[in-house]
Amino acid sequence: MSSWREFIRDVEPYVPGEQPRGDSVIKLNTNENPYPPAPGVERAMREMDPAMFRKYPDPSAGMLTEALAKRYGLERDQIFVGVGSDDVLGMAFLTFFNSQKPILFPDVTYSFYPVWAQLFGIPYETPRLDADFRVKPQDYKRDNGGIVLANPNAPTGIYLPLDQVEDIIKANQDSVVIVDEAYIDFGGESAVPLIPRYDNLLVVQTFSKSRSLAGMRVGYAMGQKELIQALHNVKYSYNSYTMNMPSMILGTEAVKDEAYFQETTRRIIATREEAKRRLGDLGFTCTDSRTNFLFITHEKAAAPELFEALKNNGIYVRYFPASRTKDYLRVTIGTEEEMEVLYKFLESSCLDRI
Ligand code: PMP
């Protein structure tokens, strides 16, 4: 065997959710927003002049950074933007988790965290969530090389109250604490107001969920300027022009339309609460999700079989076969009409047959 094979970086990649094509599919498997982006996004898209693509984009994505700074009451140098929050989180792992000590994140959380840790050779430990999938803050009060908390957590949907998040940040002032707020706009208080008080806090958010732009790939981090500068230094050591022009322009339009954002998130929250009731009536147990998805289990229906039955009927949800999640399905909140199709299917036959 040629020796180059020995030196290939051996990694086990993250497995993204399926992206089935076609309009007949009800896609409740990757937590996308069921509503279109703000009307200004479509307008800006129509007005875009392809001649601009001749040039490189602004490496600092100044226009988008400015709009975000305004929206969150921060300075421009307190914001870092990237190609989806996966890009931002990966960059943050590479930048801040560079000690020999293990970083900490829960045993049940976003399954990309262990993948980045392995890719970058970062040791990690995974404190166990309690039996109700809640974070135990005392588990994060020990020597560590950094902390990552998704809040609300995924795939459980459970929110850790802000005073407990602050408690963890305060107890770890020698490490960077990343709070991944991919779903915060659907419930719960953001940690952004804590930024002026803690120089070790990095809050990461995304346009993929509450701003309906998963396909554009826009994410951002907010923190004190020293953290943001460190992120920029690593980014510019790897690839300066990460964000393309349409993403910057359309992302900026999405941030500007606060009313549309409020209205669509409100609708999704209302549909979620209705879904908790309807699925509860069908015998499902739902965690107290504050996100745009539910994490559900049923005593009489095995999750993998239900997953397959739904898929065979054109309804895609997500199943995580790991030991603590194997009895659950994660169901993204769709439009009211899509959710009705789901309820009807579950009501009609499926639960009897499984
Ligand atoms: N964090 C969490 C907790 C997520 O569930 C996701 C969605 N897969 C992301 C980050 C990344 O989302 P994106 O890269 O689309 O911003």
Side-chain angles (χ1 to χ4, degrees):
M1 193 168 88
S2 320
S3 64
W4 58 263
R5 290 191 176 82
E6 279 174 53
F7 305 113
I8 292 178
R9 197 175 294 276
D10 187 17
V11 284
E12 201 179 314
Y14 171 75
V15 183
E18 272 179 88
Q19 298 297 344
R21 297 289 152 202
D23 291 339
S24 58
V25 166
I26 297 199
K27 196 171 174 309
L28 307 177
N29 69 335
T30 51
N31 299 343
E32 288 134 338
N33 196 309
Y35 301 111
V41 171
E42 196 195 326
R43 212 176 310 125
M45 209 162 124
R46 265 190 273 111
E47 287 165 9
M48 229 177 263
D49 178 2
M52 73 177 162
F53 300 146
R54 193 175 56 76
K55 295 188 192 155
Y56 283 106
D58 169 7
S60 73
M63 162 199 252
L64 180 59
T65 310
E66 182 83 48
L68 285 166
K70 209 161 153 203
R71 166 67 169 72
Y72 291 96
L74 296 168
E75 301 296 325
R76 274 181 59 165
D77 58 9
Q78 295 182 297
I79 293 177
F80 174 86
V81 301
V83 183
S85 57
D86 281 342
D87 179 40
V88 175
L89 287 163
M91 204 63 76
F93 270 56
L94 186 58
T95 307
F96 301 118
F97 300 156
N98 198 26
S99 78
Q100 301 304 310
K101 295 179 194 168
I103 63 165
L104 307 176
F105 49 81
D107 64 336
V108 180
T109 190
Y110 185 30
S111 46
F112 223 137
Y113 302 156
V115 175
W116 286 310
Q118 282 157 26
L119 176 64
F120 300 135
I122 302 163
Y124 65 96
E125 287 170 12
T126 56
R128 195 176 160 82
L129 296 176
D130 74 11
D132 298 323
F133 295 121
R134 292 191 185 275
V135 168
K136 291 179 282 171
Q138 66 271 25
D139 288 347
Y140 297 84
K141 293 181 184 166
R142 57 175 145 122
D143 206 24
N144 64 71
I147 291 174
V148 194
L149 291 172
N151 197 35
N153 198 8
T156 63
I158 291 175
Y159 168 71
L160 183 68
L162 190 57
D163 57 334
Q164 293 182 45
V165 174
E166 180 168 9
D167 196 34
I168 293 171
I169 300 163
K170 203 189 234 163
N172 287 286
Q173 301 204 23
D174 290 329
S175 314
V176 171
V177 178
I178 300 177
V179 184
D180 175 357
E181 294 189 336
Y183 303 100
I184 195 71
D185 297 325
F186 303 105
E189 255 180 288
S190 169
V192 169
L194 303 179
I195 287 173
R197 267 183 280 152
Y198 298 99
D199 62 6
N200 61 326
L201 167 63
L202 190 79
V203 181
V204 177
Q205 296 191 1
T206 178
F207 283 55
S208 298
K209 321 292 177 184
S210 54
R211 296 190 189 275
S212 307
L213 283 178
M216 268 292 143
R217 313 303 300 125
V218 187
Y220 51 110
M222 297 172 278
Q224 288 193 14
K225 69 177 190 202
E226 203 182 337
L227 288 187
I228 300 303
Q229 184 59 51
L231 277 170
H232 278 126
N233 290 345
V234 171
K235 174 196 154 165
Y236 292 137
S237 306
Y238 182 71
N239 178 3
S240 320
Y241 302 112
T242 52
M243 180 166 282
N244 63 56
M245 287 177 183
S247 297
M248 282 178 210
I249 294 168
L250 304 182
T252 303
E253 286 305 320
V255 182
K256 280 196 209 150
D257 197 337
E258 186 66 22
Y260 184 85
F261 163 82
Q262 294 293 347
E263 171 56 17
T264 46
T265 48
R266 188 197 61 72
R267 273 170 85 177
I268 291 166
I269 291 167
T271 311
R272 177 189 73 206
E273 294 307 309
E274 171 67 8
K276 285 180 185 168
R277 281 188 291 276
R278 298 283 293 269
L279 294 171
D281 290 346
L282 287 165
F284 285 93
T285 305
C286 307
T287 59
D288 181 18
S289 171
R290 306 292 176 89
T291 63
N292 69 336
F293 58 84
L294 293 180
F295 195 52
I296 64 171
T297 184
H298 198 289
E299 265 188 6
K300 299 205 187 98
E305 273 103 78
L306 188 50
F307 170 81
E308 287 300 331
L310 286 163
K311 188 167 157 175
N312 291 336
N313 282 273
I315 303 172
Y316 283 68
V317 299
R318 192 90 197 259
Y319 177 62
F320 298 97
S323 64
R324 287 194 81 187
T325 52
K326 68 180 180 3
D327 296 330
Y328 289 79
L329 293 177
R330 193 194 67 187
V331 182
T332 304
I333 302 299
T335 60
E336 277 161 37
E337 296 73 28
E338 287 172 323
M339 298 307 280
E340 281 302 331
V341 177
L342 172 73
Y343 310 141
K344 287 236 161 59
F345 174 73
L346 293 172
E347 274 160 14
S348 62
S349 57
C350 168
L351 290 177
D352 308 333
R353 271 194 269 115
I354 283 169

